[in-house]
Amino acid sequence: MTFIPGLGIVKGMASTLRRFFEPKATIKYPEQTPDQSPRFRGRLQLLYDEWGTLKCETCFQCAQACPIECIDMGGVDTKGRYHVHWGPPETYGERREESALRRSGRTVPDRAYERFESIDLVAVDEILDENDHDPKRMLQILEGIQDAYGYLPVAAIKRISFKTGAWYAFIYGTASYYRHLRFERPADAVQVAAVDQHRPSEEAYVARLDAALRGSRRRARKVH
Amino acid sequence: MTTLLRTPTAWPSVLLRRDRAGRGRGRAGGLLADPAAALDAAVASGAFEGLKRAVRELGPDGTIAAVASSRLRGRGGAGFPTGEKWRAAAAVEAPRRYVVANGYGADPSAFTDRVLLESDPFAVLEGLAIAAFAIGATEAFIAVRAEDAEMVRRLEAAVGAAEEAAFLGPDLLGSGRDVTVIVRPVQGAYMLGEETVLLKALEGRRGQPEQRPPFPTERGLFGMPTVVQNVQTLAAVPWIVVNGAAAYAKIGSKASPGTILVQVRGPARDGVAEVPLGVPLRDVVALGGSPGSGRKLKAVLVGGPSGGLLPPELLDTPYEFDALRAVGAHVGSGSIVAADDRACVVDLARLLTTFCANEACGKSIPCRIGTRRLVEIADRAVEGRPMPTDVQLLEDTSADIVASGLCDHERLATLPLASGMRYFRSELDDHLLRSSCPAGVCRPIAVAAGATAAGAAK
């Protein structure tokens, strides 16, 4: 075997040169994304810790979050007392439960937006008819509904929005501006009082002005 | 029947007494029972003469020229020349034009507009018809307080009677022009006194002011040229048209002629009076009586909740738009409140600023947050725990609000504290630097000043 000095490096460089003109496998990751299924989350694998026990605590978070519901698992709880299971029966019941949704990072439906009390809408329709379904007469419509129901129910505002084509936010914005329009049922005395605290009436202003002119802050204090 | 503003030479005037709910005497008799008869009585005493003259002799341009040469200024508080406003609205090319009479009377302690609408609704309607005729408006709105249900009914009856007699409605007095008058009761916000806010309310929207320009004369109600006038301004127009601009210009002061309604709240009496513009403030305050024995006048609040607090030394200031602005007050709602030495100026300014801050609509940041900061400074002063920077902060914040405000509400909301600081500096300093209240109204935090022994002895 003849030894030709430098042959090794030439072979090596030849390989480098060949690779140099081949298509590259490296991608510029954040700019380019690899061609993967959008739901690919990596390989499913249970990991072991350094003492050889399973790291999985059977918390089912992965099973609850799994979008295609492919994880079916069972085991014992962390104290070794009960056998726990996660499979289709649990999946369909519990993954829609509120804390499960929150743990799996999904949006939790808000009670305030989810549903509103349904009311008899006949009066609303009559008031809308009287006002030609005209959003320019929104104040008269809202005042009429307040007269009929005693307050402005969410269902009524939705109905106005649906029938007149005015945005819900537009109607809400108008209704929340004027002092005489309210969303609280008169029966909810606590709520009404809480709102009124932040809406000082004109009579209160006049009374306070009178008191200030008499300098009667002092007298009121002396009572205590 | 009291004819306010229709005979603008009556001075010294009498106070029309009102009870605290705003109900008063001096109403046009029997208007609700028999509107037609009430209208006939009003016509017999000269109502709608101005409208006839405007339609039959002057024509639209002549009417605007007459109003302009009388130098009548808007009674809503800002004092904008009425003739100029009408001319601007008439000059804009538009398919429709509107006239809006602002009879809301936002100040809860002033009843001037309500008194006028009750005592002489036909004068307002006539002025409204003349304005609509002059600028070519087809629809006219009267915005009034919905709380006063009886006044709304009376006004509607008056409009109905005037339409029957063809003073309003289609083919106004045979001129070929239509003027439909709509009474629109509004309520629920102090800001409705501001013209663009009122227009928003008439459009059924949230009441927040618009940036100007474009002024409402260019783009107002429903995007059309709109003239917004206080009811007092409109009630003054018929007299001008009948008696001529030169006669009107002789009444009152040179820069702002005519008379105006004021709400005087004095130690002895309170009520609504008609005064010529330009009379010394002293004479207006005197209508409310003099303070009781042993007391003396301390401050005069001119202009309603956002008015200025003026000291007795400035009582010779003429009561008119420019002079009051120069001394740090304004005509505003026409309210004049006399405070004697029982009241504490800082406490009063705090009360007024708090009201203005609570009523802020929240659209512009200097208003929403700036007035809140002013209230906090005033609160600290009243409660006797001031910060060393408060005087400077008050000056800076007021200046910033005035410089960057969107509407007049916030610019004027600085007036109570600003004028208080200008004229009652020693009293403010007592609060801010020495934590004491000379009037003894505010709770003096004697502890802060280190006088615990005196406080404990009490």
Side-chain angles (χ1 to χ4, degrees):
Chain A
M1 192 182 269
T2 49
F3 174 76
I4 305 171
L7 184 66
I9 189 106
V10 170
K11 274 185 179 169
M13 289 310 288
S15 172
T16 306
L17 206 64
R18 210 166 43 243
R19 293 277 177 187
F20 193 79
F21 294 105
E22 277 180 6
K24 311 290 181 290
T26 313
I27 56 164
K28 296 176 173 174
Y29 164 60
E31 289 82 24
Q32 277 177 296
T33 47
D35 182 21
Q36 267 176 358
S37 158
R39 290 184 157 188
F40 180 68
R41 292 289 178 276
R43 192 173 147 203
L44 282 178
Q45 191 177 22
L46 292 177
L47 300 176
Y48 292 85
D49 64 10
E50 54 266 42
W51 296 283
T53 44
L54 269 176
K55 273 183 167 179
C56 173
E57 296 191 3
T58 340
C59 70
F60 299 130
Q61 281 194 51
C62 58
Q64 287 168 13
C66 179
I68 54 171
E69 300 170 4
C70 71
I71 301 175
D72 185 346
M73 63 194 296
V76 283
D77 69 349
T78 45
K79 302 235 165 77
R81 290 173 301 187
Y82 309 109
H83 177 81
V84 287
H85 180 261
W86 188 273
E90 291 85 2
T91 306
Y92 296 113
E94 289 183 30
R95 59 182 293 153
R96 268 127 195 119
E97 193 259 328
E98 190 183 313
S99 73
L101 290 170
R102 188 166 286 127
R103 275 179 287 141
S104 61
R106 290 172 186 225
T107 50
V108 179
D110 190 329
R111 289 257 176 78
Y113 297 99
E114 192 181 28
R115 64 168 77 91
F116 50 87
E117 180 197 6
S118 68
I119 54 162
D120 184 11
L121 289 167
V122 176
V124 177
D125 289 348
E126 276 169 10
I127 290 161
L128 284 169
D129 277 341
E130 277 166 29
N131 290 293
D132 296 339
H133 294 72
D134 187 357
K136 292 186 181 113
R137 298 178 60 83
M138 193 55 74
L139 271 177
Q140 286 93 314
I141 296 173
L142 292 172
E143 281 163 6
I145 287 170
Q146 170 135 322
D147 283 345
Y149 293 94
Y151 69 114
L152 297 176
V154 176
I157 298 182
K158 294 236 174 197
R159 185 71 172 176
I160 304 171
S161 175
F162 176 72
K163 297 276 267 190
T164 63
W167 298 331
Y168 183 86
F170 166 88
I171 305 167
Y172 180 84
T174 304
S176 58
Y177 179 80
Y178 295 94
R179 201 184 282 125
H180 62 293
L181 299 174
R182 54 170 63 249
F183 299 104
E184 308 80 41
R185 223 181 309 206
D188 293 344
V190 176
Q191 214 166 352
V192 169
V195 170
D196 282 348
Q197 209 177 356
H198 297 281
R199 287 188 188 183
S201 69
E202 296 185 332
E203 292 80 33
Y205 162 74
V206 176
R208 248 179 265 143
L209 183 64
D210 276 345
L213 290 175
R214 286 196 309 271
S216 65
R217 248 171 92 101
R218 174 182 44 186
R219 235 166 286 150
R221 285 260 146 65
K222 267 190 181 166
V223 175
H224 293 295
Chain B
M1 182 161 160
T2 331
T3 51
L4 287 167
L5 299 173
R6 179 168 292 164
T7 50
T9 43
W11 171 262
S13 57
V14 285
L15 280 181
L16 296 173
R17 298 297 307 276
R18 315 269 297 172
D19 66 13
R20 280 293 145 89
R23 286 182 294 273
R25 289 179 286 278
R27 294 186 147 151
L31 181 58
L32 269 181
D34 190 358
L39 177 65
D40 288 344
V43 169
S45 66
F48 291 101
E49 282 301 315
L51 181 63
K52 284 176 195 158
R53 179 138 195 269
V55 171
R56 291 181 186 147
E57 292 171 38
L58 296 175
D61 295 337
T63 311
I64 295 179
V67 172
S69 62
S70 75
R71 297 200 308 279
L72 174 69
R73 298 174 68 170
R75 297 321 191 211
F80 191 81
T82 306
E84 243 174 74
K85 203 186 262 188
W86 291 14
R87 205 169 273 157
V92 179
E93 274 298 318
R96 286 193 306 284
R97 293 189 182 79
Y98 295 103
V99 181
V100 174
N102 187 349
Y104 182 64
D107 181 358
S109 61
F111 303 115
T112 49
D113 294 350
R114 272 180 267 180
V115 166
L116 174 64
L117 283 169
E118 274 179 7
S119 62
D120 198 358
F122 293 118
V124 178
L125 290 180
E126 186 183 357
L128 196 61
I130 293 173
F133 170 75
I135 69 157
T138 48
E139 267 185 58
F141 290 88
I142 310 183
V144 291
R145 283 186 98 92
E147 285 97 336
D148 202 340
E150 200 194 329
M151 186 189 72
V152 175
R153 278 204 303 278
R154 293 164 56 81
L155 200 54
E156 274 164 354
V159 170
E163 271 180 0
E164 287 278 307
F167 289 124
L168 301 171
D171 199 13
L172 183 80
L173 285 180
S175 64
R177 298 222 178 170
D178 305 341
V179 179
T180 315
V181 175
I182 298 161
V183 179
R184 189 60 84 73
V186 291
Q187 60 179 323
Y190 171 74
M191 289 293 291
L192 290 173
E194 210 271 347
E195 55 176 2
T196 54
V197 173
L198 182 67
L199 296 182
K200 288 289 188 66
L202 295 182
E203 291 173 4
R205 294 163 68 188
R206 191 179 171 84
Q208 291 182 323
E210 281 293 309
Q211 191 166 4
R212 275 152 286 194
F215 288 93
T217 47
E218 200 181 315
R219 203 157 72 224
L221 194 64
F222 304 123
M224 297 298 153
T226 306
V227 164
V228 186
Q229 301 276 210
N230 188 276
V231 284
Q232 292 184 42
T233 323
L234 292 172
V237 167
W239 197 89
I240 296 171
V241 174
V242 171
N243 298 300
Y248 194 76
K250 283 193 196 112
I251 310 160
S253 79
K254 206 164 166 48
S256 21
T259 57
I260 191 168
L261 295 182
V262 290
Q263 169 85 36
V264 183
R265 199 181 190 83
R269 290 182 293 275
D270 58 347
V272 175
E274 181 181 0
V275 302
L277 283 161
V279 291
L281 197 50
R282 188 185 305 281
D283 295 355
V284 187
V285 175
L287 289 172
S290 55
S293 60
R295 307 217 172 272
K296 62 184 198 313
L297 189 69
K298 183 173 183 179
V300 183
L301 169 65
V302 184
S306 56
L309 289 156
L310 301 182
E313 299 84 65
L314 283 175
L315 278 180
D316 288 323
T317 314
Y319 187 78
E320 56 110 3
F321 302 101
D322 304 324
L324 283 179
R325 280 280 181 151
V327 297
H330 65 126
V331 170
S333 64
S335 141
I336 291 162
V337 179
D340 58 27
D341 49 11
R342 285 176 298 177
C344 165
V345 170
V346 180
D347 183 48
L348 206 54
R350 169 180 159 274
L351 171 77
L352 301 170
T353 315
T354 310
F355 178 79
C356 290
N358 283 341
E359 293 294 340
C361 75
K363 180 168 182 179
S364 91
I365 295 161
C367 187
R368 188 178 65 226
I369 296 170
T371 54
R372 208 33 79 189
R373 292 290 95 81
L374 292 181
V375 170
E376 284 168 12
I377 295 169
D379 276 348
R380 283 201 292 269
V382 165
E383 287 163 21
R385 42 179 186 82
M387 300 210 302
T389 51
D390 269 354
V391 175
Q392 189 62 45
L393 193 63
L394 184 57
E395 278 174 13
D396 290 352
T397 314
S398 307
D400 287 347
I401 293 173
V402 171
S404 53
L406 177 66
C407 76
D408 260 354
H409 172 72
E410 54 201 304
R411 281 180 223 127
L412 299 172
T414 60
L415 278 186
L417 276 174
S419 62
M421 189 161 71
R422 189 163 153 192
Y423 300 117
F424 301 92
R425 186 57 186 266
S426 69
E427 194 164 344
L428 186 72
D429 279 351
D430 281 338
H431 284 81
L432 287 178
L433 305 179
R434 287 176 278 284
S435 290
S436 67
C437 177
V441 175
C442 312
R443 178 172 31 170
I445 304 280
V447 185
T452 32
K458 281 180 193 170

